[in-house]
Amino acid sequence: MPTLRSSVASILAVLSLVLLLHATATAAEPTQKPNVMFILADDMGYSDLGCYGGDIETPNLDNLAAGGLKFTNFYNTARCWPTRGALMTGYYAQQIHRDALPGLGGGGRGVRQKWARLLPDFLKPLGYRNYHSGKWHIDGKVLAAGFDRSLDMRNQGNFFSAKGNFLDDKPVTPAADESDYYATTAVADHAIDCLQEHADKYADQPFFHYVAFISPHFPLHALPEDIAKYRDDYLKGWDKMREERFARQQKLGLVNTTLSALEPDVGPPYAFPDAMKKLGPGEVNRPLPWTELTEEQRRFQATKMAIHAAMVDRMDQEIGRIVAQLKAMGAYENTLIFFASDNGASAEIMVRNGGHDPSAPMGSAASYLCLGPGFSSAANTPFRRHKTWVHEGGISTPLIVHWPAGIKAQGELRNTPGHVVDIVPTILETVGVEKPTAWEGEPIPPAPGKSLVPAFAADVTIDRDFLWWLHEGNRALRYGNWKLVAAKGDPWELYDLTVDRAESNNLAQQNPEKVQELEALWNQQLQSSIDLAK
């Protein structure tokens, strides 16, 4: 009979052989590139999601955050088209003609330089299929930018009609009966269709999918059943809502600051007096104390916020459908999902696209409503100001990052400052490709973005020189935890963001040398951007 020692030796030999064969087989298997999906909201405030302190039902995004990371200091550019240009290229929008520079122009109609390629051009050589569903607002046609399929939602004035949209760069013919059409659902329908086709025909290839919802951008259009969920929730007013959201944010550990004060003298960034007349006596264009509003005004404002909430809620529901499709096709575990907003909530009040019928139900196709500065301030809790400003309320966004196969951390916070210019280098490092140094013989200049990949593993601070903003005369620079900021025509303000992201305690007069130092850096970046954009 075999001895105990010989039996153990035999077992160990067998185990060694099994491990060797497993290691050999594993080494022979090709590394599977991750899929990447970037989901972008439009005009959504920092505190609108449940996982960022909000009161809106967003269980699908909350689940992604619980299974991944929440970045607390992530930034956009304060406006839709510069954010999208920066997101897809890795450059500040001013560097690529997608936001204005003094003496050079640029902006929503600006055309990028040939070297300012979009992300799909760098992913295609690795075999990636590239899909776009939703808002575009980048110069040029979508398929020419490297995407294989696209739904370009050019109709941004009526959530209940497909009229004016483009499919694969060709005009869409709307259905004769659009009674069941809603833009947010249509974005998800297209995204799911692309994913289903990918699973059927291209399962051996990875994909990049850019899902750009219009929600909750004005006009405030939502499905009646979604509005009904929130109809009376905001009659408590924006003051109380801000306090409640701020308390939840503190409990979640998202912020280390005071709550910003409402600014009753700061209204919409652009004045449209005629719109105020059309909207009637319920409209208010200043964030006045809630108790000073009439009963009619309180109901009107609360209903607008209910519609905004309904739009965010429906977007989350549609994201849930997209996630379900990823799971059904076996792609969920190895899909790196990002979620962010293109700017803060909007204080704008205007009437476009056929006008506003005051007799129509609020939130229906015949109405044209905007959130306005009262509830925009609440949506941007705890920060100050709104879309178009580069104070924290205009440029701060949630950033959720979820990737089960590549990120072990679950439900953790990441406090490093980051910016949409970081997304391209982050994705390129994740998929294992170096950005080329030239395009069709023309050099590609260095870009300002930094990879966020080190922060996937631990709460580290990404090393960078600074972050920089300029939009319609509003300007800012973040250097470490110092922030220099000024609204158009105003003097520089200086804030210590370690304790004051509410931008409540202006330290400029106490620290004139720091103001001068940071102003020099801001001007340096301005000149660098001008030189690159020429």
Side-chain angles (χ1 to χ4, degrees):
M1 294 184 62
T3 65
L4 177 62
R5 180 177 296 176
S6 63
S7 298
V8 170
S10 299
I11 292 170
L12 290 175
V14 172
L15 284 174
S16 297
L17 179 60
V18 170
L19 291 173
L20 178 62
L21 291 172
H22 175 72
T24 304
T26 302
E29 291 173 1
T31 302
Q32 186 179 4
K33 299 290 185 186
N35 307 304
V36 181
M37 177 176 286
F38 199 101
I39 305 173
L40 191 66
D42 198 338
D43 287 13
M44 192 194 79
Y46 183 83
S47 70
D48 275 334
L49 301 183
C51 55
Y52 278 79
D55 39 58
I56 304 170
E57 293 182 21
T58 55
N60 295 293
L61 286 166
D62 295 349
N63 285 339
L64 291 177
L69 305 174
K70 289 189 296 185
F71 283 71
T72 64
N73 282 264
F74 199 74
Y75 293 109
N76 47 50
T77 72
R79 200 68 175 274
C80 42
W81 62 87
T83 288
R84 291 155 206 276
L87 173 68
M88 283 290 125
T89 66
Y91 292 90
Y92 289 124
Q94 295 80 6
Q95 297 175 312
I96 57 168
H97 305 160
R98 294 300 295 162
D99 208 350
L101 284 166
L104 287 183
R109 298 184 183 276
V111 178
R112 289 171 291 122
Q113 303 92 323
K114 185 172 68 173
W115 52 259
R117 312 310 302 176
L118 303 190
L119 180 61
D121 278 332
F122 303 131
L123 298 179
K124 272 185 174 294
L126 278 72
Y128 275 78
R129 295 274 298 174
N130 298 283
Y131 307 111
H132 161 254
S133 306
K135 187 170 179 176
W136 182 235
H137 223 163
I138 301 175
D139 59 297
K141 294 184 177 181
V142 186
L143 299 192
F147 288 90
D148 295 288
R149 291 186 59 184
S150 165
L151 172 62
D152 182 357
M153 304 284 279
R154 298 191 186 186
N155 180 352
Q156 293 158 31
N158 184 353
F159 278 74
F160 297 103
S161 176
K163 185 179 180 181
N165 292 338
F166 276 59
L167 188 65
D168 295 334
D169 291 331
K170 297 178 182 178
V172 167
T173 301
D177 180 6
E178 291 192 291
S179 58
D180 292 331
Y181 181 88
Y182 185 62
T184 304
T185 301
V187 170
D189 286 345
H190 182 263
I192 291 168
D193 186 62
C194 290
L195 292 172
Q196 289 174 339
E197 182 192 49
H198 188 93
D200 183 45
K201 297 181 180 179
Y202 308 101
D204 59 336
Q205 296 178 244
F207 64 80
F208 168 64
H209 203 143
Y210 176 38
V211 182
F213 290 99
I214 303 173
S215 177
H217 192 287
F218 60 82
L220 298 177
H221 282 171
L223 300 176
E225 61 268 30
D226 293 336
I227 299 172
K229 292 172 63 175
Y230 300 96
R231 184 168 299 280
D232 296 330
D233 288 7
Y234 301 104
L235 287 169
K236 59 192 172 187
W238 43 67
D239 309 277
K240 184 66 174 176
M241 175 180 162
R242 295 177 81 238
E243 293 173 2
E244 291 176 350
R245 287 192 174 191
F246 182 53
R248 286 192 291 269
Q249 290 174 329
Q250 290 179 302
K251 188 174 182 179
L252 290 168
L254 289 168
V255 294
N256 179 30
T257 183
T258 58
L259 176 61
S260 64
L262 286 174
E263 298 179 272
D265 295 331
V266 177
Y270 320 105
F272 293 99
D274 289 345
M276 294 296 293
K277 296 177 184 176
K278 294 174 184 176
L279 293 165
E283 190 55 278
V284 180
N285 65 357
R286 293 291 187 273
L288 302 173
W290 190 252
T291 55
E292 294 184 10
L293 272 56
T294 66
E295 184 176 348
E296 180 180 9
Q297 289 171 333
R298 289 195 292 268
R299 168 50 75 181
F300 190 87
Q301 299 300 315
T303 302
K304 289 201 304 175
M305 182 60 209
I307 302 167
H308 175 90
M311 296 173 79
V312 174
D313 184 315
R314 176 57 57 175
M315 177 176 63
D316 182 82
Q317 293 182 53
E318 301 303 343
I319 290 170
R321 292 176 56 223
I322 294 172
V323 168
Q325 174 58 36
L326 291 174
K327 291 179 177 178
M329 59 195 280
Y332 178 72
E333 295 292 320
N334 199 32
T335 298
L336 170 59
I337 302 174
F338 299 88
F339 175 86
S341 178
D342 65 350
N343 43 250
S346 175
E348 295 163 286
I349 295 178
M350 62 185 72
V351 175
R352 294 175 173 171
N353 300 91
H356 169 71
D357 180 358
S359 66
M362 294 176 67
S364 67
S367 68
Y368 198 99
L369 304 166
C370 303
L371 190 57
F375 277 114
S376 173
S377 296
N380 293 329
T381 300
F383 305 131
R384 181 179 164 204
R385 303 227 173 156
H386 326 265
K387 170 185 175 182
T388 76
W389 281 276
V390 294
H391 288 75
E392 293 290 284
I395 59 176
S396 296
T397 172
L399 177 69
I400 296 171
V401 183
H402 181 275
W403 181 24
I407 298 177
K408 294 182 180 179
Q410 294 188 5
E412 295 186 9
L413 301 180
R414 294 294 183 259
N415 296 299
T416 184
H419 190 284
V420 288
V421 296
D422 299 332
I423 296 301
V424 165
T426 300
I427 292 174
L428 293 183
E429 180 175 349
T430 300
V431 304
V433 63
E434 289 192 20
K435 183 180 173 182
T437 57
W439 187 267
E440 296 182 354
E442 186 175 349
I444 296 179
K450 303 292 182 180
S451 172
L452 300 174
V453 168
F456 287 1
D459 187 19
V460 298
T461 298
I462 304 299
D463 186 37
R464 67 174 80 241
D465 294 333
F466 50 77
L467 293 170
W468 182 84
W469 291 267
L470 172 64
H471 183 64
E472 295 194 347
N474 302 311
R475 56 206 191 279
L477 180 135
R478 177 165 178 165
Y479 178 80
N481 286 314
W482 286 106
K483 183 177 178 185
L484 190 70
V485 62
K488 182 179 180 180
D490 288 350
W492 286 114
E493 301 166 0
L494 179 68
Y495 299 102
D496 178 1
L497 299 187
T498 56
V499 293
D500 187 24
R501 283 187 72 192
E503 297 168 318
S504 299
N505 184 22
N506 182 6
L507 302 174
Q509 290 188 350
Q510 298 170 233
N511 296 274
E513 298 85 1
K514 179 60 69 174
V515 172
Q516 291 176 1
E517 174 192 350
L518 300 186
E519 182 180 27
L521 290 176
W522 190 91
N523 285 324
Q524 173 187 314
Q525 181 60 46
L526 174 65
Q527 187 58 52
S528 173
S529 297
I530 291 172
D531 293 342
L532 189 57
K534 283 182 177 178

